Amino acid sequence: MATKPRVTILGAGIGGLTLALELHRVGVECVVLEAAPNLGALGVGINLLPHATRNLSRLGLQEALTAVAVTTRESAFFNRFGQLIATEPAGRHAGYDWPQFSIHRGDLQQVLLGAVRDRLGPDAVLLGHRGVRVTQDERSATVHVEHPDGSTSEVRSDVVVGADGVHSVVRRQFHGDVAPRYTGYMMWRGTTVWPRFLTGASMVRAGWLATGKMVIYPIRDDVNDRGDQLVNWVAEVEAPIGDARDWNRPGLVDDFIGPFADWHFDWLDVPAMIRAADAVLEYPMVDQDPLGHWTEGRVTLLGDAAHPMVPRGSNGAAQAILDARVLAARLAGDGDPYRALRAYEEERLPATSRVVLTNRANPPDALLREVYERTGDRPFERVGDVITPEEIRRLSEGYQAVAGFSHSALARS
C-alpha cells in the first residue's frame, strides 16, 4: 500500500484548519503553520451555506456551530425604501439536510481551532511561524519560516499547501505580485448589539450598488439580558479604492453613511444601527482573475490564496471548505503527491473560477439590480407588477447551481 504523504499547511484560517481536520479524518499527517503569535476573535460575520455545513457536519462540528451561530431561516430582499421584494427559505427551512449558519468569523475559527487541537494534538497548529518561501526537490518540499524573535527554521514534508489568504506568500512566489481587480465599490462592515428584527434569523439584502446596498443579519443570539442579538452588517458604496486590502482596517461611519441616512424602516432603523456599532472595518470589493494553475510540483493553493473572490454570495469560506474536502480525499487516495495535487486542481480550479466570474456578473443579489432597473429606483405599488415569482426563482436557482449548493448540485456530489 502506498504511503500517504505528510502535509504542511500555511495558514490557520478557515480553509487551513478545515483541511487539517479533513486530513486527520482520512489518516494523513499534517501540521499547520500560522504567522500570527495568537489567534483572537478577529473579523465580523459570515454565512455558511448548506454545501459548507454539510462538510463541517461530516467532521462532527454541527453541534458546536449551532451553539455559537444563528441558524438562518430566510433570505429577504428589500429595495432602499424598505419594501419587501421577496423572501426565500434558507438551509433546513428550504428542505436541505443541513442548516445555514450566520456566524462570527472568530467564533467559526475558534470552533475549528479547538477541534484541530483536540484531535491532532496541541502542537498541530504552530503559532508565530511565518512561512516566507517554499523550496522543493524530488523528495520533499520545505517551508522556510521566520519567528517573531527574528530566528528562522525549516519545516519539511511531502506536500505544502498555501492556505495563507489573499496576501498569500505561496501564490506570490509562483505567480508574482498581481494587483487586485477593483469593482469600484468599497465595503464597510460592522457588528452592532441590536433588538431582533423580522424573524430574528433573517439574512437581509437591501438597496442596490448604484445608490448604496446593504447586507444585514444576526450572528449571535441573546447577547444580553434583553435578548438582543449581535447583528452583522455590510454597506457597499461606490468610492475610490482604499489604501490596503486588509480585512481589519478601521473605517469611519461618516465616510459611507450618507446613502443610508434615510433608511428608517418599520422593521429596522438602519442608520441608528450603523452608528451604534462597536467598530467599523473597511475593505475594497476586489478579486483577481482566475489562475491558470495552482500547483507547482509538491506545492498547491487553497481558499482565498487560490481563488480570491468578491465577497458576495457567502461563498468565500464555503469554497475553501470544499477545497479542503477534495484535497484531503485526493491525498489519501494516491500516495504520489504530484498526481494527487493535479487531480485536486483539475476538480476545484474550474469550479471556483466559475464562482469568481459569476460573483462579478450575476451575484446572488442580482434580484435587487433587476428591481432597481425596472422601477427606475422608485417605490412600487405591487412587486408582482415589477418582477414575477418565476423570474425570482430563476435568478436564485441560477446562482445556487454555479455556487454548488442547489438541491440538484448537492444530490450529485
Side-chain angles (χ1 to χ4, degrees):
M1 180 179 293
T3 301
K4 295 176 181 177
R6 296 170 295 116
V7 180
T8 299
I9 303 166
L10 289 185
I14 293 167
L17 293 172
T18 302
L19 178 59
L21 293 172
E22 291 280 11
L23 291 172
H24 177 261
R25 189 180 70 85
V26 296
V28 174
E29 181 183 350
C30 69
V31 65
V32 181
L33 309 182
E34 169 56 43
N38 55 71
L39 292 178
L42 296 176
V44 283
I46 62 172
N47 261 262
L48 294 174
L49 299 170
H51 55 336
T53 58
R54 177 181 65 169
N55 285 3
L56 297 178
S57 297
R58 268 179 48 254
L59 293 169
L61 300 177
Q62 187 173 140
E63 182 177 351
L65 293 171
T66 301
V68 297
V70 172
T71 302
T72 314
R73 294 184 59 89
E74 65 173 11
S75 290
F77 299 83
F78 293 83
N79 63 15
R80 72 181 181 93
F81 307 104
Q83 293 178 294
L84 178 65
I85 298 168
T87 61
E88 57 183 31
R92 284 207 174 104
H93 301 279
Y96 292 99
D97 292 331
W98 306 275
Q100 177 174 328
F101 288 129
S102 298
I103 187 170
H104 194 290
R105 181 179 290 271
D107 291 343
L108 172 58
Q109 187 177 32
Q110 290 303 309
V111 167
L112 294 169
L113 180 63
V116 170
R117 286 174 167 164
D118 286 346
R119 300 175 193 182
L120 282 69
D123 295 328
V125 179
L126 301 179
L127 303 179
H129 282 59
R130 180 184 299 278
V132 294
R133 63 188 177 95
V134 181
T135 56
Q136 57 183 313
D137 55 31
E138 294 181 358
R139 295 186 177 183
S140 65
T142 301
V143 178
H144 300 263
V145 177
E146 291 182 354
H147 304 279
D149 63 2
S151 63
T152 62
S153 63
E154 297 179 355
V155 178
R156 182 172 299 177
S157 58
D158 299 300
V159 168
V160 172
V161 179
D164 46 345
V166 294
H167 299 294
S168 171
V169 168
V170 181
R171 178 185 177 118
R172 188 181 308 119
Q173 178 177 335
F174 292 113
H175 296 279
D177 193 6
V178 179
R181 175 188 174 276
Y182 183 46
T183 62
Y185 298 92
M186 288 293 293
M187 173 175 68
W188 285 266
R189 313 181 73 175
T191 57
T192 305
V193 174
W194 202 254
R196 294 170 181 267
F197 61 91
L198 299 178
T199 66
S202 300
M203 181 177 183
V204 170
R205 296 182 174 99
W208 182 241
L209 292 167
T211 54
K213 181 172 77 72
M214 290 202 72
V215 181
I216 308 166
Y217 53 89
I219 56 175
R220 286 179 188 156
D221 274 327
D222 300 321
V223 296
N224 56 28
D225 57 8
R226 297 189 300 274
D228 292 339
Q229 297 176 301
L230 185 66
V231 175
N232 181 83
W233 53 264
V234 182
E236 296 178 49
V237 176
E238 186 173 5
I241 191 168
D243 293 334
R245 189 163 43 153
D246 179 355
W247 285 116
N248 299 304
R249 179 182 175 84
L252 298 174
V253 168
D254 289 341
D255 286 345
F256 69 91
I257 199 169
F260 313 104
D262 60 350
W263 284 29
H264 304 288
F265 308 143
D266 56 5
W267 49 274
L268 184 64
D269 187 330
V270 174
M273 179 197 66
I274 290 173
R275 291 198 179 279
D278 299 327
V280 176
L281 305 175
E282 69 172 31
Y283 190 80
M285 298 289 284
V286 295
D287 65 11
Q288 289 184 225
D289 291 332
L291 293 171
H293 68 283
W294 296 345
T295 303
E296 297 277 352
R298 296 174 174 271
V299 183
T300 196
L301 301 169
L302 180 146
D304 284 346
H307 42 75
M309 58 185 64
V310 176
R312 294 189 182 123
S314 310
N315 228 337
Q319 294 303 317
I321 290 167
L322 298 183
D323 289 348
R325 176 182 63 82
V326 173
L327 179 53
R330 299 296 169 264
L331 289 169
D334 194 330
D336 183 331
Y338 298 98
R339 286 198 304 264
L341 296 187
R342 283 197 300 270
Y344 155 69
E345 179 181 301
E346 287 170 2
E347 180 171 351
R348 291 299 298 154
L349 192 152
T352 56
S353 296
R354 286 193 295 271
V355 177
V356 170
L357 299 178
T358 298
N359 276 0
R360 291 179 182 177
N362 198 31
D365 50 16
L367 170 59
L368 300 177
R369 178 186 64 204
E370 290 297 313
V371 172
Y372 169 83
E373 291 176 348
R374 295 183 189 191
T375 62
D377 190 32
R378 291 188 296 270
F380 51 75
E381 291 187 9
R382 292 179 59 255
V383 69
D385 296 333
V386 179
I387 191 166
T388 68
E390 176 62 21
E391 289 175 307
I392 293 171
R393 184 187 63 80
R394 284 201 303 267
L395 284 169
S396 175
E397 291 181 355
Y399 185 81
Q400 290 176 14
V402 171
F405 69 97
S406 65
H407 287 280
S408 58
L410 285 174
R412 291 194 302 269
S413 60

